[in-house]
Amino acid sequence: MKKVLIVHGWMHSAARYERLRRDLEQSGDCRVTLYEFPGFGDTTGKYRRNILDNYTRDMKKYLETRKFDLIVAHSMGGNVVLKGLEGTRDLPGDGEQKLILLSPVYGGVAGLKPLILFYPLTVMGIRLVQRPFVLCRLLIRLCSLLTIRRWRDVDERIIQDARRADGAVAAGTLSELTFDRWRLGEVRPRLRVLLVLGEKDRVISRRNMAVLKKDLGSCRVKILKGIGHTAVAEDYEKLLKIVKGEL
């Protein structure tokens, strides 16, 4: 039985990928684990400083004690998984880790830098939209259009995840991701990477993805036409097909 790990992105949760877990397990001989970052979903806000460093430390420990045939990681999750894998040599099978990176954050997010200059307001803004008012639901939907192209794809799951996230952790993580300059070093495992990008992604720059591809040494790239940053919400059937194809 093949083992699959799915790691969510910023402001999402493990529950975002519950449908994918169910469909993969029902259609093939595999067992899927959904990873949850502290401060998102059903978890508490465990960290307030150096959040990405703590996430990376947790991920490294997690991957040292568990082996997966395939790891699927989105956005922030892709960033943390790459950091957690760096330096790891004890990998499954022939020593090559199969990895699907869905619009991973790599080399920072230049487009968000002006927003982070108003960091205190960012914290307040996240907490504001988490209030139980109809207007706040509308604000969450409007903010989601930065990452999702079509209004109809902003579903109830996105609203629930936004409301359950720890506001301070969410703002702090966003700030760290925006200015993150980490790059893969020479000591890294053998990675078989499929890089999946949205054609209309407003978050991840093609320049940063070109740098990632160069740092990886080689990887395959698949562009999903007409979608933005969040494949699982915008083209679920295509994402399911891609993941099945890698198993």
Side-chain angles (χ1 to χ4, degrees), residues 204-227:
I204 304 301
S205 72
R206 293 295 175 86
R207 178 182 177 277
N208 283 21
M209 292 303 95
V211 172
L212 173 58
K213 187 176 180 181
K214 178 181 177 182
D215 289 350
L216 286 168
S218 65
C219 73
R220 293 167 294 147
V221 179
K222 188 170 187 62
I223 306 295
L224 299 185
K225 294 188 176 182
I227 76 165

Side-chain angles (χ1 to χ4, degrees), residues 148-193:
I148 296 178
R149 294 275 301 170
R150 299 174 300 191
W151 180 267
R152 68 185 185 188
D153 293 325
V154 184
D155 58 19
E156 187 63 26
R157 175 82 264 153
I158 291 171
I159 295 171
Q160 290 180 27
D161 283 344
R163 285 188 160 168
R164 286 157 54 191
D166 182 293
V169 171
T173 308
L174 183 62
S175 176
E176 292 181 18
L177 283 168
T178 298
F179 292 95
D180 183 40
R181 305 310 301 170
W182 174 86
R183 289 176 61 175
L184 276 167
E186 294 182 0
V187 181
R188 59 178 181 269
R190 289 171 53 203
L191 300 174
R192 182 181 172 186
V193 177

Side-chain angles (χ1 to χ4, degrees), residues 2 11 16 42 81 115 127 131 138 145 148 162 174 189 201 207 209 216-217 225 241 244:
K2 293 184 177 179
M11 285 299 275
R16 171 82 270 177
D42 293 323
V81 165
L115 176 65
R127 288 177 174 168
R131 300 303 93 193
L138 176 62
L145 292 178
I148 296 178
L174 183 62
D201 197 327
R207 178 182 177 277
M209 292 303 95
L216 286 168
K225 294 188 176 182
K241 183 178 179 180
K244 284 183 177 180

Side-chain angles (χ1 to χ4, degrees), residues 36-47:
E36 189 109 280
F37 288 106
F40 297 93
D42 293 323
T43 65
T44 59
K46 188 176 179 180
Y47 306 117

